[in-house]
Amino acid sequence: MGESTLVSDNTQAGRRTIIASVVQTCSARYSVKNTLKKLEDLVSEGKGRHGSQLMVFPEAFIGGYPKFSTFGTVIGERSPEGREEFLRYHSAAVDIPSPVISSIERISKTYGAFLVVGVIERDHGTLYCTVIFVDPELGYVGKHRKLAPTALERVIWGQGDAKTLSVVQKSFGRVEAQLTAAICWENYMPLLRSYYYSKASGSHIYCAPTVDTRTEWQSTMQHVALEGRCFVLSACQFAQEKDYPADHAVKNPEGRGDVNVMIRGGSVIISPLGKVLAGPMYDQEGILTAELDMDDIVRGKFDLDVAGHYARPDIFQLVVNGAKDG
Amino acid sequence: MGESTLVSDNTQAGRRTIIASVVQTCSARYSVKNTLKKLEDLVSEGKGRHGSQLMVFPEAFIGGYPKFSTFGTVIGERSPEGREEFLRYHSAAVDIPSPVISSIERISKTYGAFLVVGVIERDHGTLYCTVIFVDPELGYVGKHRKLAPTALERVIWGQGDAKTLSVVQKSFGRVEAQLTAAICWENYMPLLRSYYYSKASGSHIYCAPTVDTRTEWQSTMQHVALEGRCFVLSACQFAQEKDYPADHAVKNPEGRGDVNVMIRGGSVIISPLGKVLAGPMYDQEGILTAELDMDDIVRGKFDLDVAGHYARPDIFQLVVNGAKDG
Amino acid sequence: MGESTLVSDNTQAGRRTIIASVVQTCSARYSVKNTLKKLEDLVSEGKGRHGSQLMVFPEAFIGGYPKFSTFGTVIGERSPEGREEFLRYHSAAVDIPSPVISSIERISKTYGAFLVVGVIERDHGTLYCTVIFVDPELGYVGKHRKLAPTALERVIWGQGDAKTLSVVQKSFGRVEAQLTAAICWENYMPLLRSYYYSKASGSHIYCAPTVDTRTEWQSTMQHVALEGRCFVLSACQFAQEKDYPADHAVKNPEGRGDVNVMIRGGSVIISPLGKVLAGPMYDQEGILTAELDMDDIVRGKFDLDVAGHYARPDIFQLVVNGAKDG
Amino acid sequence: MGESTLVSDNTQAGRRTIIASVVQTCSARYSVKNTLKKLEDLVSEGKGRHGSQLMVFPEAFIGGYPKFSTFGTVIGERSPEGREEFLRYHSAAVDIPSPVISSIERISKTYGAFLVVGVIERDHGTLYCTVIFVDPELGYVGKHRKLAPTALERVIWGQGDAKTLSVVQKSFGRVEAQLTAAICWENYMPLLRSYYYSKASGSHIYCAPTVDTRTEWQSTMQHVALEGRCFVLSACQFAQEKDYPADHAVKNPEGRGDVNVMIRGGSVIISPLGKVLAGPMYDQEGILTAELDMDDIVRGKFDLDVAGHYARPDIFQLVVNGAKDG
Amino acid sequence: MGESTLVSDNTQAGRRTIIASVVQTCSARYSVKNTLKKLEDLVSEGKGRHGSQLMVFPEAFIGGYPKFSTFGTVIGERSPEGREEFLRYHSAAVDIPSPVISSIERISKTYGAFLVVGVIERDHGTLYCTVIFVDPELGYVGKHRKLAPTALERVIWGQGDAKTLSVVQKSFGRVEAQLTAAICWENYMPLLRSYYYSKASGSHIYCAPTVDTRTEWQSTMQHVALEGRCFVLSACQFAQEKDYPADHAVKNPEGRGDVNVMIRGGSVIISPLGKVLAGPMYDQEGILTAELDMDDIVRGKFDLDVAGHYARPDIFQLVVNGAKDG
Amino acid sequence: MGESTLVSDNTQAGRRTIIASVVQTCSARYSVKNTLKKLEDLVSEGKGRHGSQLMVFPEAFIGGYPKFSTFGTVIGERSPEGREEFLRYHSAAVDIPSPVISSIERISKTYGAFLVVGVIERDHGTLYCTVIFVDPELGYVGKHRKLAPTALERVIWGQGDAKTLSVVQKSFGRVEAQLTAAICWENYMPLLRSYYYSKASGSHIYCAPTVDTRTEWQSTMQHVALEGRCFVLSACQFAQEKDYPADHAVKNPEGRGDVNVMIRGGSVIISPLGKVLAGPMYDQEGILTAELDMDDIVRGKFDLDVAGHYARPDIFQLVVNGAKDG
């Protein structure tokens, strides 16, 4: 006789868990080739030592995050040097699809890990801060482009739109998950989060690749987990001066040195009831891993379901123009 | 020459009747599989022994009604044990659509009976107390989610909205019927009833799945039949301690026992002029059946039609936000 | 220091009760003068023997209910004899204001009882089936005209409109009450009841003067009390052939006799939780009295408040055209 | 060459006329099928022998006018027999739309005649006394429900509202007309007539289907024509005992007979200056026909235009709630 | 004990009647003095021979109706002769108050008759076609100015306004009446009539002074009585050439002669059920008298009360700007 | 000289600051009278010792938060004892307006402090968890009713609607502020917060009265300040067993004692850039005070303005039904 698919009959035994990791790392001096090598090494480690089924990499991992650069811009002026810098940065970005994407698909398949990876996406003349979703069986299955770059990022990255508000379905064995991504300060967009909550409320793994290293970031991650009753996986970059081209800007030009910290990290994994499962980790590269008990989502929704019994749809309706599923 | 379809030319012979049943039963210890088995047995009996064309099952028949439980809530606190109980209850609920719905469709088709069944509906993290309508030819044709859970039910069930104020059209041979459902104390919502009366006033079969076992419930059912000039089919649960998981709450914890009555029933069928056609039945499982003479509706509307000649639309207008047909 | 007026501070002692009666009686052969005499005698008895602070009299008590008459009407024809009967009936009706109203005000004041009295109201050429509210201190304070006469009543009575949807405020000592009236089958108008519930939900005494003597009426009264969480005071006529003019219609013309029952009664008083406090009384004139514990209204609203926490105003809005307070 | 549509250029030849008929007839023993047969025969005759472009049929032609019946009602009581009679009457009524309406559309189209037909309309549990407008080219184009049934009619028919105050536009060749309908004693509602005058004042054909056979009816028809400066087409029923079911009520039960006159007629056609163009016809079935010179309307408005130069809008404003055009 | 004032208790004996007359006459060659003499003679006769308590005189009785005159006007031109004619006409008119009014008050008091008299009222430079109401006890109690003069009347008379929509209350012994006046074609103003019906619907005596002598006028008078369920008293002028100044216009100038009929009459008295009680009288001066049984109004309202049970105030509201009582 | 109101001219001297407090306290054993006494004492202290211009009190300060009670409810049952407890709780609630509100207005005026106070509001039969805004000069200026009670609170409190999404404008000297309130877990409603951000984005003081004492609450408060770039003032209750009626529920019934902590506090004040200005305070009553530099709001909006440059209105539109300002 047929049975409901989402959740097993309660008379069955067994916990419904997923092993997931966030990887704190950075790109290799804007070299795509070398960064892909780092990616493979880290996936190998995550799988081999942690048994990770799902690994989240930071914002701009492939392509790089040009911390401290101004790209030669002042109000009303751009410099030739800035244009050259942009050209270099553009050349380090990734087309979708492309051989780079194929390489990532191969890594995912080889190690049997679902990958969520921050990349700088090149779409002709414009760059986007993008996250890609790569399934070990299906390959590339979706992406999300950052909707609202912050401050000077607006000089180098374009804005995403609703077509990449991806909610990716994935079965880890008999455990279903729905994955979304919000990049850096997109996490401060309550309407974006609300949309994700409404689409992925049953088994939501919320990925938050970032380069935000403030202590306050932890509050936001914890809040998002509590508000959305979802697992939050935030992967931040850890980068030092040596990870950038030699002429790259730094904070204190007078005190240059390979080990100067450019981005200090802060990766973390949090449960739907706000419990910190791993991290936060600062001042080092590394992999944080946790076992996600997917039933914690329902345990949490018992008293708070912002897209369900706590929603007040009679008062608030969120209209999302252009999303694939309305 | 063409003729009006709703009622045959008065020179034609024949009564316009429907054989309808209400089933007094309960779910099987929160097991969806076993409860579906009970459903099939009862539909088989209703069809085989009573010839029922239409069968109404109680509120929360599939999924179960957690009588006497508190889910560990007190004002201001929820307990981990309550969350576990909610997780178990959540896992026994039904997605729409899902294989469970398909099973009910198959049963309806096999026995040729239209089914109105109370289920606990799972929509991601929120549960709803829902009634589904299943047509033997068309399969699932609509649902109604309870708009206003009562008291502690508000902790475990979300609120329905106007999108599920279903009025389901069904031809039983040459006899037309319009079916609606109001669950338990929704029957005390005069504006909900008014809406149903206005949409289904011609051939209204009003289904009232419930777990209310008070004697006063009979007055309310009789009143609704008289007020709406409709047939009222109220199916209540009959449940004993043995029908619940072993650790479930009971009224008097010191006097546990398999045959302890948890919900005592009170199912009943009433005609549009307020005549009790079958029941009320208490303290046992069973099937009540009656032949509904659909012309009694017009006989009753002769002197009272609350959505027609008795309406005073010049004074009272009921606005229903979000209903499919305004 | 000032305190809230509606309910005393919970540290204060004392119950908040009202002594209320429903009077089962009839008019005196269409004689206004003699019917006023009956009114005075009954108010005297209600106050003297029962201590009533509030007395409800039946529909059409003054003016009379012409049971079994047809006023000479068939479809498409009126007879001169019917016009004469209407003229007689018209002459027994009451203008508002008029000396008849003044007499009722005097009776109310003399005995210190608030009176709710069914009258046939004359407004030039049209008659209305009206209930008046008379305060012992303020005199006449409002009226309600029946909105929807039933069946043949539509030939002799006009329709009321929203201007007389009165909700009358009255202090019985330190106990506040809000009185409304719904006459006979107006009690089957869910939108009218909903309006009253919304306006008088705090301390609602719902008066239901009637001439409906069916047993089913009791279900409706009990339902209204439960649905509205209000006290229901239903006063029905008890009338015999001797109470009508000698030539008045009767049910069985061949078996005339002074004691033939024309209207058999059925008055009743019910609490907000559906408990029958007095009655139903049949086959005799008489006064039913009960002590109304006004706190029962809040006790009942705890789990059902159809104009409050159970209302779903997001879905249902009731527009009432022309009511004094919107 | 451009033309004013209201009145023809006086240099052009030709009169602006319409051939119109009123049909004095009745329904066929409540059989919809047989009455449709009569309708077709009469339209055929009206078109064939009279050349009618517009034909008006009496009130309740389809569905029937239950003259002399009481439907078992006395004040305060309804009988089971009356409910059965209502059920029979209900079953002979017409839904809009329905195959019956389609049949009338076909007849209108076949014979090329615009039809104004009195029908008993069924809207779920309530019946209405309705007039439908059927255009030979467009089919059903509108209806009007009687606003105020008279006396005992209030027991069997509901009240129309402002949504069916139809003013139907029709071109008969190059001659424009605006058609309205007022049924029986609606013709005594000065505010309804005023509304029609105000909306159809240019080329008003005022249809008055009725069953009123008093001689005084002729005064009212003549007055309406004069007051409104419109053509008045009043079609009355002529019915005999044989036209009713065998058990139907009659005036003098002792003297039954097939040829007993139940409704004697009185159909008439009157011009805007009060000239009787055809009829009144009594005591027979038949068709009255006249040629309507539409310029007579303007001739009449020269000295009286109640919605124009004679209106005094500074003093009198008529508010019509809920009409389609305010 | 107090009793209602409008209608006596039905156990009292006696009919409620008023003796009323309409006077068919004309003014005396524009001489106010001589016309007052005619007035006194006619009142004396009406009282002495007929016992009239109420007498209605024609439109423009005092001041005169200048039949057939053009006052020298053509489109775009007025002649000096026309101005002289207006001056003469102006000098024959009546100020209110004035000694002429006092004279009429004296006549009313002397003979004990209530008078309703058509006068040409002078208000500085403008003339109005007015009706005055004179009570034998109270003297002048009100007036009504014609709202809409017809055709060429608009050259000599101004328009009245809502301040003179008088409804005059009068007790004839123990019988109450409410009197209104509509002059000539004001009777074709349905909104004016509706206003009067709404204000005087209980005991309405509707006065219709006129100079309209068409046969169709009778239809309108009968219709108004039926529609308003009121007594209609229409007094028309009978005038011959000798009743005008010698140089006054006539219809056929070639055939002048003192007995030439200028205005042929048509006065009539009609009951609320449309029965002609007296008249119509043509081709002579004279007094028509009838006994008005005021209970006929209620007998008539039984099945039609256009301002009460037949009104549909939910649909139609008549706003009357500037009337004394709204 | 003209000034921009939002931000002061940078050439002028002076900071734009407001002295604000949050008060950690509780109600006095459900006594309104005694709780008002506490309110006055605390306002006096806040003003006298801290100079507070704005004081925020906790959720349910007046009326009380019945922590640990179940009101006798289990799924499917309510007990008489629960109804009595509800009656007691209902009697301790506050009508708006009422003398209690007047008292608070008087206190606000006396001490010159703007007050934001959590109250249990009584609206006839339903209670709401409400926050009121009281201006020292204008008195009561608005309220907010909690939209979504949590868990068992749904048994005792109704749901607010959009009519009380108040944004209150207040000038503190020359410094403008816009105040809003979100109560307890309303702070987890991203669409509610988004609405407030959109309406009060210039000078937003976000009040968060609560009884949530979890450590995680601090993350949410910090996140809200960062996300909305607003000041967050969260006032939590501190309550002990002695602050409840003697028979009230406690967590561990076996270990009762006056000093048992029922609600431990956690009040806090946070700046728009996420800096904790005061608190969090636990395990005591007390007043936290901070000086709010209103220019910090603009400083924060420089790089994040969720209702402005960070909003993406092309993608996301929030529809709010029924709010006063759309």
Side-chain angles (χ1 to χ4, degrees), chain C residues 18-95:
Chain C
I18 297 169
I19 310 294
S21 299
V22 295
V23 184
Q24 188 155 298
T25 183
C26 64
S27 55
R29 290 186 164 233
Y30 289 1
S31 162
V32 174
K33 184 177 168 184
N34 294 345
T35 306
L36 283 175
K37 180 70 174 60
K38 287 184 72 169
L39 176 70
E40 181 155 8
D41 292 346
L42 289 160
V43 172
S44 171
E45 177 185 347
K47 189 67 182 196
R49 294 180 39 185
H50 304 261
S52 285
Q53 299 167 282
L54 165 66
M55 302 183 73
V56 181
F57 285 80
E59 180 182 11
F61 171 52
I62 299 179
Y65 188 79
K67 184 96 177 191
F68 301 124
S69 177
T70 65
F71 283 81
T73 54
V74 295
I75 298 284
E77 294 278 347
R78 272 76 61 207
S79 68
E81 294 77 12
R83 290 190 197 276
E84 290 305 312
E85 185 177 357
F86 183 71
L87 177 62
R88 177 173 70 182
Y89 190 55
H90 184 274
S91 75
V94 177
D95 291 298

Side-chain angles (χ1 to χ4, degrees), chain A residues 91-270:
Chain A
S91 72
V94 176
D95 289 299
I96 301 175
S98 68
V100 175
I101 299 300
S102 301
S103 295
I104 300 172
E105 290 176 321
R106 181 188 56 74
I107 295 167
S108 172
K109 186 176 182 182
T110 300
Y111 298 93
F114 193 102
L115 304 181
V116 179
V117 184
V119 305
I120 301 304
E121 178 191 0
R122 179 174 54 216
D123 188 351
H124 302 290
T126 294
L127 303 179
Y128 296 95
C129 180
T130 296
V131 162
I132 60 170
F133 300 87
V134 181
D135 187 301
E137 286 146 24
L138 303 174
Y140 168 83
V141 289
K143 70 179 173 188
H144 168 64
R145 286 176 174 173
K146 196 180 196 174
L147 297 176
T150 301
L152 202 68
E153 294 171 3
R154 295 175 186 177
V155 174
I156 54 173
W157 297 337
Q159 295 182 320
D161 61 32
K163 286 194 293 293
T164 66
L165 297 178
S166 299
V167 180
V168 174
Q169 192 83 20
K170 173 62 186 168
S171 299
F172 294 94
R174 65 184 186 89
V175 184
E176 288 292 316
Q178 291 169 295
L179 296 109
T180 66
I183 306 169
C184 208
W185 279 19
E186 281 192 317
N187 288 282
Y188 288 110
M189 299 178 78
L191 300 184
L192 170 62
R193 297 198 316 269
S194 296
Y195 175 76
Y196 282 155
Y197 300 153
S198 73
K199 295 299 174 189
S201 61
S203 53
H204 194 182
I205 297 177
Y206 180 106
C207 303
T210 190
V211 295
D212 187 341
T213 63
R214 294 170 306 142
T215 306
E216 295 91 326
W217 181 253
Q218 301 303 317
S219 284
T220 290
M221 290 298 98
Q222 190 174 33
H223 171 81
V224 170
L226 286 163
E227 177 181 80
R229 294 313 203 202
C230 50
F231 287 96
V232 170
L233 279 63
S234 181
C236 189
Q237 287 205 23
F238 173 77
Q240 294 168 293
E241 200 171 322
K242 67 177 173 57
D243 300 316
Y244 284 83
D247 60 351
H248 200 278
V250 295
K251 196 169 191 175
N252 302 306
E254 60 282 4
R256 282 182 168 275
D258 268 7
V259 297
N260 276 352
V261 174
M262 299 280 279
I263 307 174
R264 71 172 178 131
S267 302
V268 70
I269 302 177
I270 307 180

Side-chain angles (χ1 to χ4, degrees), chain E residues 250-311:
Chain E
V250 296
K251 195 168 192 177
N252 301 306
E254 58 284 1
R256 283 182 169 275
D258 268 9
V259 298
N260 276 353
V261 172
M262 300 278 279
I263 307 173
R264 70 171 177 131
S267 302
V268 70
I269 301 175
I270 306 180
S271 86
L273 284 165
K275 184 179 170 192
V276 176
L277 300 180
M281 177 198 287
Y282 289 104
D283 295 316
Q284 57 176 303
E285 288 197 272
I287 300 176
L288 293 172
T289 303
E291 183 179 21
L292 314 183
D293 181 346
M294 296 302 282
D295 284 339
D296 279 348
I297 291 173
V298 171
R299 290 185 185 102
K301 300 243 172 184
F302 172 50
D303 50 7
L304 182 68
D305 184 2
V306 292
H309 65 80
Y310 228 96

Side-chain angles (χ1 to χ4, degrees), chain B residues 3 10 201 299 303 305 309, chain D residues 78 83-84 91 99 124 126:
Chain B
E3 284 292 281
N10 66 320
S201 61
R299 287 184 186 103
D303 49 6
D305 184 2
H309 64 79
Chain D
R78 273 78 61 208
R83 290 188 197 278
E84 288 307 308
S91 75
H124 301 291
T126 294

Side-chain angles (χ1 to χ4, degrees), chain B residues 32-313:
Chain B
V32 174
K33 184 176 170 185
N34 294 345
T35 306
L36 283 173
K37 179 70 174 62
K38 287 184 73 169
L39 176 71
E40 180 154 11
D41 292 347
L42 288 160
V43 172
S44 172
E45 177 185 347
K47 188 67 181 195
R49 294 180 38 186
H50 304 263
S52 284
Q53 300 168 281
L54 165 65
M55 301 182 74
V56 181
F57 285 80
E59 179 182 11
F61 170 53
I62 300 177
Y65 187 80
K67 184 93 176 192
F68 301 123
S69 176
T70 64
F71 284 81
T73 54
V74 296
I75 297 285
E77 294 278 347
R78 272 77 61 207
S79 69
E81 295 77 13
R83 290 188 197 277
E84 288 308 310
E85 184 176 359
F86 184 71
L87 177 62
R88 177 174 70 182
Y89 190 54
H90 183 273
S91 74
V94 177
D95 290 298
I96 300 176
S98 70
V100 175
I101 299 299
S102 302
S103 295
I104 299 172
E105 290 177 320
R106 182 189 56 74
I107 294 168
S108 172
K109 185 177 183 183
T110 299
Y111 298 94
F114 193 103
L115 303 181
V116 179
V117 184
V119 306
I120 301 305
E121 178 191 0
R122 179 173 53 216
D123 188 351
H124 300 291
T126 293
L127 302 180
Y128 296 94
C129 181
T130 295
V131 162
I132 60 170
F133 299 88
V134 180
D135 186 303
E137 284 145 25
L138 304 173
Y140 168 82
V141 289
K143 72 179 172 186
H144 169 64
R145 286 176 173 174
K146 196 181 198 173
L147 298 176
T150 301
L152 204 65
E153 295 171 2
R154 294 175 185 177
V155 173
I156 53 171
W157 297 338
Q159 296 181 320
D161 61 32
K163 285 194 293 292
T164 66
L165 298 178
S166 298
V167 180
V168 173
Q169 192 82 20
K170 172 63 186 168
S171 299
F172 294 94
R174 64 184 188 90
V175 184
E176 287 293 316
Q178 291 169 296
L179 295 110
T180 66
I183 307 170
C184 208
W185 280 20
E186 282 192 317
N187 288 281
Y188 288 110
M189 298 178 80
L191 300 184
L192 169 62
R193 298 198 315 268
S194 295
Y195 175 75
Y196 281 155
Y197 299 153
S198 74
K199 293 300 173 188
S201 61
S203 52
H204 193 181
I205 297 177
Y206 180 107
C207 303
T210 192
V211 296
D212 187 340
T213 62
R214 293 170 307 140
T215 306
E216 295 90 326
W217 181 254
Q218 301 302 319
S219 286
T220 290
M221 290 298 96
Q222 190 174 33
H223 171 81
V224 169
L226 286 163
E227 178 182 78
R229 296 313 204 198
C230 50
F231 287 96
V232 169
L233 278 65
S234 182
C236 188
Q237 286 206 22
F238 173 76
Q240 294 168 291
E241 199 171 322
K242 68 177 172 55
D243 300 314
Y244 284 83
D247 61 349
H248 199 279
V250 295
K251 194 165 193 174
N252 302 307
E254 60 281 2
R256 282 183 167 276
D258 269 8
V259 297
N260 277 353
V261 174
M262 300 278 280
I263 307 174
R264 71 173 177 129
S267 302
V268 71
I269 302 177
I270 306 180
S271 86
L273 284 166
K275 184 180 169 192
V276 175
L277 301 179
M281 176 198 289
Y282 288 103
D283 296 315
Q284 57 177 300
E285 287 197 274
I287 300 177
L288 294 173
T289 302
E291 185 179 20
L292 315 183
D293 181 348
M294 296 303 282
D295 284 339
D296 280 348
I297 292 173
V298 171
R299 287 184 186 103
K301 300 244 172 182
F302 173 50
D303 49 6
L304 182 69
D305 184 2
V306 292
H309 64 79
Y310 228 95
R312 299 305 307 270

Side-chain angles (χ1 to χ4, degrees), chain F residues 75-154:
Chain F
I75 296 285
E77 295 278 345
R78 273 78 60 207
S79 68
E81 294 77 13
R83 289 188 197 279
E84 289 307 310
E85 184 177 358
F86 183 70
L87 177 62
R88 178 174 70 183
Y89 190 54
H90 183 274
S91 75
V94 177
D95 291 297
I96 300 176
S98 69
V100 175
I101 299 301
S102 301
S103 295
I104 300 171
E105 290 176 320
R106 183 189 55 75
I107 294 168
S108 172
K109 185 176 182 182
T110 300
Y111 298 94
F114 193 102
L115 304 181
V116 179
V117 184
V119 304
I120 301 305
E121 178 191 0
R122 179 174 52 214
D123 189 350
H124 300 291
T126 294
L127 302 180
Y128 296 94
C129 181
T130 296
V131 162
I132 59 170
F133 299 88
V134 181
D135 187 301
E137 283 145 26
L138 303 173
Y140 168 82
V141 289
K143 71 179 174 186
H144 168 63
R145 286 177 173 174
K146 197 180 197 174
L147 298 176
T150 301
L152 202 67
E153 294 171 1
R154 294 174 186 178

